[in-house]
Amino acid sequence: MALQIMRSSADTMTSHERLLVMSFDEITIDPRVAYDSTDDAVYGPNDKMQVVMVRSLCSRWKQPVFFDYNKDVTKDLLHRIIAAVESAGYVVVAMVCDLGPANRKLLWSPKAADGLGIDPEDGFFAHPCDPSRKIFTFADVPHLLKLLRNHILRQGLQLPGGPVIDKKVFCNLLEKDNSEFRLCHFLKWKHITVRGQECQRVYLAAQLLSERVAKAVSHIFGDRYRKEAEFIALVDQAFDTFNSRHVSDGKLHRSAFGLAHTIEDQYSCLLKFTKVMRDARVVGSNSMLPFQKGFVMSSTALRGLYSAVQRHHGLSYLLTSRLNQDCVENFFSQLRGMGAANTNPTAVEAKNRLRLLLIGAAPTVAAATHDDPRESGASVLLEEKEPTYLSATTLDLDHEPPVEPEVPDADVTAVENLVTARQPCPGPAASAGAAPPPASLPSGATGVASLSRQALAYVAGYVAAKCATVDSTLGKITSDASEVPRDERYAWIDTLSRGGLTVPSARWLDEVEQLEVLFTTMHGGDVDRGPGVVRRLAEAAALKFPQLHPYVLRKYAMTRTQLRVREIRRLIGDRERLRKEQPTCSREAKRARLYVHPGDL
């Protein structure tokens, strides 16, 4: 049915909308034998379901075209699926999969009967319908990022001509940057001690190997970890290049691949990253590991695909997030979510859920059970709109409106989800879209101001940006703030900003430091559990600074309270982590460690 629908829809699409990326992956299912009354057949025992999906390279639609149980994708099967899709009027230009053992055999096996024989340095295989055409092949980059993170933390990675980067860098960063106001506010011990299902969450790897962490390492340790910081920054740029979701973005490498003002930097980043992956060695290994070959292959394929679609199809840029497996991962998340508490369907249940998804007008209904989209295997930033299933769009069926997941309080979201906030490019309307970065420590031998005061200046800039419409004197964006007097408290903002963060005025920053004393006087090391906690803080601040606008004081009080709540949660989480890591001891000692007295926070 899927191919029949695709065939009937092909005439309504432009040639660009019919350019396809094919992806495939498998989902674990309940292996119990089950009877299907629709087919009058018994299925099982099957513990895996393989799904092949196509999605448009230039449009927002996707469509599963094949599924089967306990079946690997072979060369013959792949060729038959490609031929069927092409016969329906579409053009397959790329393919993506993860690097499981069966897929590695398919991609890289030199035997003509077993595999495609792809050379990672080429990144393509000949099109089965037209040998003069190429299908460019990608390894799923979000999966590769997780593998890179795992090898760095577990074995260490010997950088070419440089040091070994391992978990020690990140442990030292957390030990230094370890109080309520921190430079890397999102970084926690769970980023380093990932285990079990946490290893599958891409956002943990993306946060650990991010530009902000690279800048914090360089800012705190200087030349001690200079090479490590440069590598982390390079990984962040490469991941952005492989994961662009918008034509233009505040981060240069996260813009669409191929734009006139980005292509040179993106090409240079890919070439440099490819060389590092080719020459680096995981400690204990003398050759490239599969994830390194995957990075090399994906980098080569991206450059080759861009040249091919530009020359043959007239495309001027690519949104590279459409070249990963997010569409399949989201499909699996929806498939599991349709069963509410039953997230491990049998073969029959999985087949029936798949059919419902294909005719559903709102596929997000199935995923509404997830509180956080990052809990799935999908990469960090979800698209503004998920691609719809072509079959549902074509059939145009009437459905109940989707159930929207609960939206958290705006202030909580702003303060806690800073890693996903985009910093605007320099311009007249730019301001700090990110929330506060906590951090602190007394100033060290370098003689700079304490990290805590630098992070507090960032918080002051955040509040100033949010209140710019009621009081523009609180601060200016960095690209327009050359005349703002600067001291060492502004060092972190100057290090982090690309021109869009807000620099608080000296007057406002002094007032925020006095408000911090007021907050500590009211709450000590904890936070008052009585009602009106934000209101009372705002009223006390108004008595101290009656000239400030009430909205400014309310925003400060809300932000500061949320920071304290987050700090309490972090400390409780750290204690729980230490409890799990320590050996078994007496029941009394366990109780003593589990109990967190408010005064200890």
Side-chain angles (χ1 to χ4, degrees), residues 6 20 25 60 83 93 136 169 225 240 253 289 292-293 353 359 431 448 464 467 496 515 528 553 566 600:
M6 290 178 64
L20 300 186
D25 200 2
R60 286 197 182 98
V93 295
F136 294 91
V169 177
Y225 289 135
D240 284 344
H253 294 85
L289 295 186
Q292 294 172 276
K293 294 181 181 179
R353 293 181 190 184
I359 62 173
S431 63
V448 298
C467 301
L496 192 64
L515 288 172
D528 189 352
L553 297 174
R566 184 183 63 190
D600 296 338

mmCIF file of all heavy atoms in Angstrom, residues 6 20 25 60 83 93 136 169 225 240 253 289 292-293 353 359 431 448 464 467 496 515 528 553 566 600:
data_model
loop_
_atom_site.group_PDB
_atom_site.id
_atom_site.type_symbol
_atom_site.label_atom_id
_atom_site.label_comp_id
_atom_site.label_asym_id
_atom_site.label_seq_id
_atom_site.Cartn_x
_atom_site.Cartn_y
_atom_site.Cartn_z
ATOM 1 N N MET A 6 2.646 6.320 -2.612
ATOM 2 C CA MET A 6 3.764 7.141 -3.090
ATOM 3 C C MET A 6 3.664 7.369 -4.596
ATOM 4 O O MET A 6 3.919 8.471 -5.096
ATOM 5 C CB MET A 6 5.097 6.469 -2.740
ATOM 6 C CG MET A 6 5.429 6.481 -1.257
ATOM 7 S SD MET A 6 6.982 5.626 -0.883
ATOM 8 C CE MET A 6 8.170 6.666 -1.744
ATOM 9 N N LEU A 20 15.091 11.574 -2.268
ATOM 10 C CA LEU A 20 14.866 10.815 -1.031
ATOM 11 C C LEU A 20 16.155 10.396 -0.348
ATOM 12 O O LEU A 20 17.181 10.144 -0.999
ATOM 13 C CB LEU A 20 14.042 9.558 -1.328
ATOM 14 C CG LEU A 20 12.652 9.748 -1.933
ATOM 15 C CD1 LEU A 20 11.952 8.403 -2.021
ATOM 16 C CD2 LEU A 20 11.833 10.740 -1.137
ATOM 17 N N ASP A 25 16.504 0.785 10.456
ATOM 18 C CA ASP A 25 16.930 0.424 11.808
ATOM 19 C C ASP A 25 15.978 -0.646 12.315
ATOM 20 O O ASP A 25 14.943 -0.918 11.708
ATOM 21 C CB ASP A 25 16.909 1.654 12.713
ATOM 22 C CG ASP A 25 17.773 1.467 13.962
ATOM 23 O OD1 ASP A 25 18.405 0.403 14.097
ATOM 24 O OD2 ASP A 25 17.801 2.392 14.803
ATOM 25 N N ARG A 60 9.053 18.121 4.107
ATOM 26 C CA ARG A 60 8.747 17.502 5.399
ATOM 27 C C ARG A 60 7.749 16.360 5.244
ATOM 28 O O ARG A 60 6.596 16.482 5.622
ATOM 29 C CB ARG A 60 8.204 18.549 6.368
ATOM 30 C CG ARG A 60 9.257 19.491 6.914
ATOM 31 C CD ARG A 60 8.724 20.194 8.153
ATOM 32 N NE ARG A 60 9.694 21.133 8.678
ATOM 33 C CZ ARG A 60 9.683 22.432 8.434
ATOM 34 N NH1 ARG A 60 8.748 22.956 7.679
ATOM 35 N NH2 ARG A 60 10.603 23.224 8.969
ATOM 36 N N ALA A 83 14.922 -0.116 -5.999
ATOM 37 C CA ALA A 83 14.316 -0.220 -7.333
ATOM 38 C C ALA A 83 12.802 0.020 -7.266
ATOM 39 O O ALA A 83 12.233 0.699 -8.132
ATOM 40 C CB ALA A 83 14.612 -1.597 -7.931
ATOM 41 N N VAL A 93 18.922 9.426 -3.300
ATOM 42 C CA VAL A 93 20.254 10.023 -3.447
ATOM 43 C C VAL A 93 21.164 9.720 -2.270
ATOM 44 O O VAL A 93 22.379 9.917 -2.359
ATOM 45 C CB VAL A 93 20.152 11.555 -3.619
ATOM 46 C CG1 VAL A 93 19.446 11.911 -4.921
ATOM 47 C CG2 VAL A 93 19.449 12.204 -2.418
ATOM 48 N N PHE A 136 24.949 8.194 -1.842
ATOM 49 C CA PHE A 136 25.918 8.567 -0.810
ATOM 50 C C PHE A 136 25.449 8.004 0.538
ATOM 51 O O PHE A 136 24.274 8.109 0.902
ATOM 52 C CB PHE A 136 26.077 10.077 -0.766
ATOM 53 C CG PHE A 136 26.693 10.630 -2.024
ATOM 54 C CD1 PHE A 136 25.894 11.045 -3.079
ATOM 55 C CD2 PHE A 136 28.064 10.673 -2.171
ATOM 56 C CE1 PHE A 136 26.453 11.523 -4.249
ATOM 57 C CE2 PHE A 136 28.633 11.149 -3.342
ATOM 58 C CZ PHE A 136 27.829 11.578 -4.387
ATOM 59 N N VAL A 169 39.728 15.265 32.201
ATOM 60 C CA VAL A 169 39.481 16.663 31.844
ATOM 61 C C VAL A 169 38.137 17.126 32.389
ATOM 62 O O VAL A 169 38.024 18.198 33.006
ATOM 63 C CB VAL A 169 39.514 16.834 30.305
ATOM 64 C CG1 VAL A 169 39.186 18.276 29.918
ATOM 65 C CG2 VAL A 169 40.859 16.421 29.747
ATOM 66 N N TYR A 225 45.045 22.404 29.371
ATOM 67 C CA TYR A 225 44.192 21.539 28.564
ATOM 68 C C TYR A 225 43.844 22.218 27.241
ATOM 69 O O TYR A 225 42.743 22.056 26.723
ATOM 70 C CB TYR A 225 42.902 21.200 29.322
ATOM 71 C CG TYR A 225 43.080 20.256 30.487
ATOM 72 C CD1 TYR A 225 42.461 20.507 31.708
ATOM 73 C CD2 TYR A 225 43.856 19.104 30.367
ATOM 74 C CE1 TYR A 225 42.612 19.637 32.787
ATOM 75 C CE2 TYR A 225 44.016 18.240 31.431
ATOM 76 C CZ TYR A 225 43.393 18.505 32.640
ATOM 77 O OH TYR A 225 43.552 17.637 33.697
ATOM 78 N N ASP A 240 27.522 20.135 14.697
ATOM 79 C CA ASP A 240 26.615 21.169 14.185
ATOM 80 C C ASP A 240 26.509 21.087 12.672
ATOM 81 O O ASP A 240 25.422 21.236 12.097
ATOM 82 C CB ASP A 240 27.108 22.557 14.595
ATOM 83 C CG ASP A 240 26.824 22.875 16.049
ATOM 84 O OD1 ASP A 240 25.993 22.165 16.650
ATOM 85 O OD2 ASP A 240 27.424 23.816 16.588
ATOM 86 N N HIS A 253 28.278 27.088 12.055
ATOM 87 C CA HIS A 253 28.320 25.723 11.536
ATOM 88 C C HIS A 253 26.969 25.031 11.600
ATOM 89 O O HIS A 253 26.773 24.004 10.949
ATOM 90 C CB HIS A 253 29.369 24.908 12.305
ATOM 91 C CG HIS A 253 30.767 25.374 12.093
ATOM 92 N ND1 HIS A 253 31.331 26.401 12.823
ATOM 93 C CD2 HIS A 253 31.720 24.979 11.210
ATOM 94 C CE1 HIS A 253 32.565 26.597 12.419
ATOM 95 N NE2 HIS A 253 32.834 25.764 11.456
ATOM 96 N N LEU A 289 38.687 2.480 14.725
ATOM 97 C CA LEU A 289 37.528 1.721 15.135
ATOM 98 C C LEU A 289 36.342 2.075 14.235
ATOM 99 O O LEU A 289 36.377 3.082 13.522
ATOM 100 C CB LEU A 289 37.196 2.018 16.594
ATOM 101 C CG LEU A 289 38.245 1.570 17.623
ATOM 102 C CD1 LEU A 289 37.729 1.778 19.036
ATOM 103 C CD2 LEU A 289 38.665 0.124 17.420
ATOM 104 N N GLN A 292 35.097 5.669 14.016
ATOM 105 C CA GLN A 292 35.980 6.586 13.300
ATOM 106 C C GLN A 292 35.778 6.459 11.788
ATOM 107 O O GLN A 292 35.731 7.459 11.062
ATOM 108 C CB GLN A 292 37.437 6.310 13.663
ATOM 109 C CG GLN A 292 37.771 6.617 15.114
ATOM 110 C CD GLN A 292 39.161 6.148 15.491
ATOM 111 O OE1 GLN A 292 39.365 4.974 15.827
ATOM 112 N NE2 GLN A 292 40.131 7.036 15.431
ATOM 113 N N LYS A 293 35.652 5.215 11.320
ATOM 114 C CA LYS A 293 35.358 5.014 9.900
ATOM 115 C C LYS A 293 34.017 5.633 9.531
ATOM 116 O O LYS A 293 33.856 6.178 8.438
ATOM 117 C CB LYS A 293 35.345 3.514 9.573
ATOM 118 C CG LYS A 293 36.694 2.819 9.706
ATOM 119 C CD LYS A 293 36.571 1.349 9.333
ATOM 120 C CE LYS A 293 37.904 0.625 9.470
ATOM 121 N NZ LYS A 293 37.778 -0.818 9.116
ATOM 122 N N ARG A 353 0.109 -1.285 15.279
ATOM 123 C CA ARG A 353 0.445 0.104 15.598
ATOM 124 C C ARG A 353 1.061 0.805 14.385
ATOM 125 O O ARG A 353 0.794 1.986 14.132
ATOM 126 C CB ARG A 353 1.419 0.156 16.773
ATOM 127 C CG ARG A 353 0.827 -0.308 18.092
ATOM 128 C CD ARG A 353 1.853 -0.212 19.216
ATOM 129 N NE ARG A 353 1.396 -0.869 20.429
ATOM 130 C CZ ARG A 353 2.070 -0.872 21.572
ATOM 131 N NH1 ARG A 353 3.232 -0.256 21.652
ATOM 132 N NH2 ARG A 353 1.580 -1.500 22.627
ATOM 133 N N ILE A 359 -1.705 5.880 8.810
ATOM 134 C CA ILE A 359 -2.895 6.608 8.384
ATOM 135 C C ILE A 359 -3.252 7.720 9.352
ATOM 136 O O ILE A 359 -4.274 8.383 9.199
ATOM 137 C CB ILE A 359 -4.110 5.667 8.235
ATOM 138 C CG1 ILE A 359 -4.457 5.014 9.573
ATOM 139 C CG2 ILE A 359 -3.848 4.624 7.162
ATOM 140 C CD1 ILE A 359 -5.742 4.198 9.534
ATOM 141 N N SER A 431 19.829 39.603 21.696
ATOM 142 C CA SER A 431 19.852 39.640 23.153
ATOM 143 C C SER A 431 20.143 38.251 23.656
ATOM 144 O O SER A 431 20.167 37.303 22.902
ATOM 145 C CB SER A 431 18.515 40.137 23.705
ATOM 146 O OG SER A 431 17.492 39.245 23.351
ATOM 147 N N VAL A 448 42.400 36.324 38.227
ATOM 148 C CA VAL A 448 41.130 36.814 37.689
ATOM 149 C C VAL A 448 40.057 36.764 38.765
ATOM 150 O O VAL A 448 40.219 36.121 39.797
ATOM 151 C CB VAL A 448 40.688 35.960 36.478
ATOM 152 C CG1 VAL A 448 41.686 36.050 35.369
ATOM 153 C CG2 VAL A 448 40.473 34.526 36.889
ATOM 154 N N ALA A 464 18.768 41.233 32.431
ATOM 155 C CA ALA A 464 18.738 42.490 31.679
ATOM 156 C C ALA A 464 18.137 42.284 30.296
ATOM 157 O O ALA A 464 17.364 43.118 29.798
ATOM 158 C CB ALA A 464 20.148 43.064 31.569
ATOM 159 N N CYS A 467 14.378 41.901 30.456
ATOM 160 C CA CYS A 467 13.667 43.107 30.911
ATOM 161 C C CYS A 467 14.024 44.333 30.065
ATOM 162 O O CYS A 467 13.771 45.470 30.493
ATOM 163 C CB CYS A 467 13.992 43.376 32.374
ATOM 164 S SG CYS A 467 13.568 42.026 33.489
ATOM 165 N N LEU A 496 32.375 33.784 26.089
ATOM 166 C CA LEU A 496 31.294 32.959 25.565
ATOM 167 C C LEU A 496 30.551 33.601 24.401
ATOM 168 O O LEU A 496 30.083 32.913 23.502
ATOM 169 C CB LEU A 496 30.305 32.660 26.698
ATOM 170 C CG LEU A 496 29.251 31.586 26.449
ATOM 171 C CD1 LEU A 496 29.905 30.225 26.236
ATOM 172 C CD2 LEU A 496 28.280 31.525 27.627
ATOM 173 N N LEU A 515 21.703 42.266 45.725
ATOM 174 C CA LEU A 515 20.512 41.419 45.815
ATOM 175 C C LEU A 515 20.877 39.994 46.193
ATOM 176 O O LEU A 515 20.100 39.295 46.866
ATOM 177 C CB LEU A 515 19.753 41.444 44.485
ATOM 178 C CG LEU A 515 19.018 42.741 44.157
ATOM 179 C CD1 LEU A 515 18.484 42.704 42.721
ATOM 180 C CD2 LEU A 515 17.885 42.996 45.139
ATOM 181 N N ASP A 528 13.308 28.943 51.410
ATOM 182 C CA ASP A 528 12.132 28.954 52.282
ATOM 183 C C ASP A 528 11.000 28.168 51.633
ATOM 184 O O ASP A 528 10.688 28.347 50.455
ATOM 185 C CB ASP A 528 11.707 30.407 52.516
ATOM 186 C CG ASP A 528 10.625 30.521 53.586
ATOM 187 O OD1 ASP A 528 10.121 29.467 54.017
ATOM 188 O OD2 ASP A 528 10.292 31.642 53.969
ATOM 189 N N LEU A 553 12.404 43.355 39.165
ATOM 190 C CA LEU A 553 12.601 42.688 40.449
ATOM 191 C C LEU A 553 11.902 41.330 40.479
ATOM 192 O O LEU A 553 12.424 40.363 41.052
ATOM 193 C CB LEU A 553 12.072 43.583 41.566
ATOM 194 C CG LEU A 553 12.801 44.934 41.718
ATOM 195 C CD1 LEU A 553 12.107 45.802 42.743
ATOM 196 C CD2 LEU A 553 14.260 44.713 42.088
ATOM 197 N N ARG A 566 17.292 24.436 41.436
ATOM 198 C CA ARG A 566 18.115 23.553 40.618
ATOM 199 C C ARG A 566 19.362 23.102 41.369
ATOM 200 O O ARG A 566 19.792 21.947 41.264
ATOM 201 C CB ARG A 566 18.524 24.277 39.333
ATOM 202 C CG ARG A 566 19.313 23.386 38.381
ATOM 203 C CD ARG A 566 19.768 24.152 37.155
ATOM 204 N NE ARG A 566 20.674 25.231 37.527
ATOM 205 C CZ ARG A 566 21.080 26.181 36.683
ATOM 206 N NH1 ARG A 566 20.612 26.189 35.452
ATOM 207 N NH2 ARG A 566 21.904 27.109 37.076
ATOM 208 N N ASP A 600 22.685 21.694 54.943
ATOM 209 C CA ASP A 600 23.850 21.221 54.189
ATOM 210 C C ASP A 600 23.843 21.700 52.757
ATOM 211 O O ASP A 600 24.813 21.539 52.033
ATOM 212 C CB ASP A 600 23.905 19.684 54.196
ATOM 213 C CG ASP A 600 24.104 19.147 55.599
ATOM 214 O OD1 ASP A 600 24.592 19.903 56.449
ATOM 215 O OD2 ASP A 600 23.756 17.969 55.836
#
